[in-house]
Amino acid sequence: MSDANDNYDSLSKEEREIRDKEDRERERQEQAALPYTWNQELGEVDITIPVPEGTRAKNLIVVIQKKRLGVGLKNADEKILDGELCAEIKVGESTWTLDNQAVLVHLEKLNQSSWWENVLTHHPKINTRKIEPANSKLSDLDGETRGMVEKMMFDNQQKQMGKPTSDEMKKQEALKKFQAAHPELDFSNAKIS
């Protein structure tokens, strides 16, 4: 696969589009062949596993471990899915429920800043570089990150209007305070950057 990626940059725009389309179709077919469907956000993975009509929770065996997932029916010879997760999860924050002939498994990722290529290591991988994440809300961010994003948004808006950024405003305020504290100094020809 690295050979295919190595020459990708040398392809024309049309050839890249054809390759991308072929890769998306191959991925779609591989994912459709799995005994479950899944989707993810940076911090979590949700898996839907169809089960026979009339299945009750007491008929299921669901194992959620830090690096392993297993789901099966109690009297079946083999599990519906079983294997090593592609990354570690927070076991205490991961859950499963039975709803409408499907087991819904919610996994909280331990590393909440990376995309998973697959759920189980022995299953086909997706191209994580092609993932387009859903828009997030500022309220979803932690305090420090939210403050940094809000500052960047404010500064960008100020620049677009030709007004000073927050850092420039702080410098101007500090200069005003210094001038007020030292009225004997002449700042009329001073250039402050």
Side-chain angles (χ1 to χ4, degrees), residues 50-56 73 80 101:
V51 291
E53 189 173 340
T55 300
R56 302 185 53 136
L73 298 168
I80 300 168
Q101 300 167 351

Side-chain angles (χ1 to χ4, degrees), residues 91-156:
V91 177
E93 296 176 32
S94 298
T95 60
W96 71 274
T97 57
L98 179 63
D99 184 46
N100 263 358
Q101 300 167 351
V103 177
L104 309 175
V105 179
H106 175 82
L107 305 175
E108 284 290 324
K109 296 178 182 177
L110 187 62
N111 178 353
Q112 301 205 335
S113 61
S114 68
W115 297 107
W116 284 14
E117 294 180 314
N118 49 16
V119 175
L120 301 178
T121 56
H122 66 279
H123 286 171
K125 294 181 178 182
I126 62 167
N127 184 349
T128 58
R129 289 175 292 194
K130 302 286 183 185
I131 291 177
E132 294 180 16
N135 291 333
S136 59
K137 300 177 192 141
L138 279 177
S139 60
D140 293 342
L141 303 173
D142 63 80
E144 182 181 341
T145 305
R146 179 179 177 167
M148 184 173 63
V149 170
E150 286 176 337
K151 179 183 181 295
M152 289 168 41
M153 290 170 59
F154 173 80
D155 288 347
N156 191 35

Side-chain angles (χ1 to χ4, degrees), residues 39-63:
N39 58 55
Q40 66 179 314
E41 292 182 17
L42 272 176
E44 59 194 43
V45 174
D46 291 306
I47 307 161
T48 303
I49 306 138
V51 291
E53 189 173 340
T55 300
R56 302 185 53 136
K58 67 182 181 180
N59 304 121
L60 294 168
I61 299 171
V62 179
V63 177

